Amino acid sequence: MTDGEIPEMGQVWTPELHRSVMARLRAAPGPRTRTVDAYVSAARSTPGTYRSGRRTELRNDREVVESVDHWVGRWAEGADTEAAVRILGYGVQAAVRQYDRGRAAAWYALWRRHKAGRALRKHRGFHTFREGGVDDCPDCVRDMDRLATGAFDRAAAELLRADTPAADWTEQAVELVAWATARHHPAFRLFSEPDGARVWYIDLFRAEVIVFDGRASTASPVPFTLNPADDTDFVAEATGCDQQVVAFSGKHAYRAARRYGRHVLLMEGTYYSSRGQAEMSYSLWLSPPTAEEAAGLVGHFAGSLPRSFRQVPAWSHPRRGSLMRRYSGEYAVGVWGDGWVTGQHGARADREFADEAQAIAALEAQELAWLKAGKVLDNLYLRMPDARLGPPGEAT
């Protein structure tokens, strides 16, 4: 392995490749600083799946920590300082996310000692400290000391002693306890179960589903698939959509659930003012053993929507418009009265049917055909059709 072979590794990274790289690093003489720099830079964030144009990145924190730990033991301080600072910086971020107190503090001290330039007076990162947003500002210096001395452990233990039901915890408290006790990073709250017994989350890096029960965070008890390239496996046996729940906050941000037999699709769209629209933040399939259990999950979702969200009918609302669905490679389409409307140039009439029930049945069949053909539902939005079409239920 030469130093020039590594930069593209982020595109083909696998656990097996990591084991091969580490075996060759351990067999080679010297710290191989340039090689480790290139490898860690590529492997720390390998590309995940794409949906609605949004990139998902999977963090390889344990592998980064292993690589940096091997390198630190061979590195002579002062050599290859620029590359060493990068390696240490990536190592600190990964160790903090992994709640590796000893390595995080030791590498942070080395990083600050060799980092060129003046220390920051203000935190500059987008992520919080526990998420790996670590720099050399006073806040991060303080938080690293809290990590090294066990202050976060004590804070988590104090929260757990209160014995609060899971649904009553603040998001910040859940994040702290999950990080300090299980190295988890819950970020997107999916739903809570009745009586607040458990709360379900997607993690910060959109890689796993986490369940918090008020005492501990654990991996999902239900098989899941996050942001699949297509949904064909989940609808292969379906003859239609068995349940739908859609809710909006304001005009754009949405949360939605759909059930096809025992498979449940959950989606969330976040509004971006700079682009004037909502874009899908994640899509998640939960696949319990039975359709009855899947229906229960949809019920949990509907029963625990945030206060700012209001459910809307699955097809249209007289005052808010048609619920438009956009599938990959297709114009957005929705039902309004006895016809379909498209969102190509605003919501305009596209096809007419005998009545609303037939329009809905035809669109449901079209949606299922698209899903089985590999297309994905990549966004939802409400659009008031052309005023000339009249309210839903009237002839167009």
Side-chain angles (χ1 to χ4, degrees), residues 91-348:
V92 169
Q93 294 167 9
V96 167
R97 283 192 292 265
Q98 286 287 295
Y99 207 76
D100 190 330
R101 291 169 44 187
R103 289 186 176 90
W107 296 347
Y108 186 64
L110 279 174
W111 178 79
R112 292 190 73 221
R113 187 159 73 237
H114 292 278
K115 181 179 176 294
R118 291 184 297 177
L120 298 174
R121 287 185 281 180
K122 184 178 180 180
H123 184 74
R124 66 182 177 188
F126 176 75
H127 292 299
T128 65
F129 178 83
R130 67 173 179 80
E131 296 167 357
V134 183
D135 54 37
D136 57 346
C137 72
D139 286 346
C140 288
V141 172
R142 177 206 63 202
D143 285 342
M144 187 61 72
D145 182 66
R146 294 176 66 196
L147 178 66
T149 58
F152 289 121
D153 296 83
R154 293 189 291 274
E158 182 66 25
L159 287 167
L160 289 168
R161 277 194 289 271
D163 197 26
T164 306
D168 294 337
W169 283 60
T170 66
E171 300 305 304
Q172 293 81 1
V174 174
E175 290 163 3
L176 171 62
V177 169
W179 173 52
T181 62
R183 302 176 181 179
H184 287 155
H185 295 272
F188 296 91
R189 183 165 176 161
L190 295 169
F191 55 81
S192 60
E193 297 180 7
D195 303 324
R198 297 193 299 183
V199 183
W200 295 55
Y201 293 88
I202 293 178
D203 87 311
L204 179 69
F205 306 112
R206 298 170 176 85
E208 55 184 331
V209 175
I210 300 163
V211 178
F212 180 70
D213 66 1
R215 296 172 297 279
S217 63
T218 57
S220 170
V222 170
F224 67 88
T225 306
L226 268 160
N227 296 321
D230 63 65
D231 304 322
T232 54
D233 290 344
F234 307 100
V235 299
E237 304 300 322
T239 58
C241 181
D242 299 301
Q243 282 178 279
Q244 291 195 65
V245 176
V246 185
F248 276 81
S249 177
K251 291 179 63 178
H252 302 286
Y254 63 84
R255 293 190 178 191
R258 287 183 157 194
R259 181 173 70 83
Y260 297 86
R262 69 178 186 89
H263 302 290
V264 176
L265 173 63
L266 300 180
M267 300 165 282
E268 179 175 332
T270 302
Y271 180 69
Y272 294 90
S273 57
S274 61
R275 298 191 282 278
Q277 64 182 21
E279 295 178 6
M280 192 173 285
S281 301
Y282 62 78
S283 66
L284 164 70
W285 285 96
L286 295 172
S287 301
T290 67
E292 290 73 20
E293 291 174 81
L297 293 178
V298 176
H300 299 340
F301 173 86
S304 59
L305 288 164
R307 291 182 180 179
S308 63
F309 282 79
R310 296 289 181 270
Q311 277 190 240
V312 299
W315 299 100
S316 62
H317 188 284
R319 292 190 303 275
R320 302 187 72 180
S322 177
L323 178 58
M324 308 295 289
R325 295 141 165 86
R326 191 181 73 196
Y327 284 83
S328 52
E330 302 290 340
Y331 294 122
V333 63
V335 170
W336 188 249
D338 59 1
W340 289 5
V341 291
T342 64
Q344 182 179 2
H345 301 292
R348 297 186 176 185

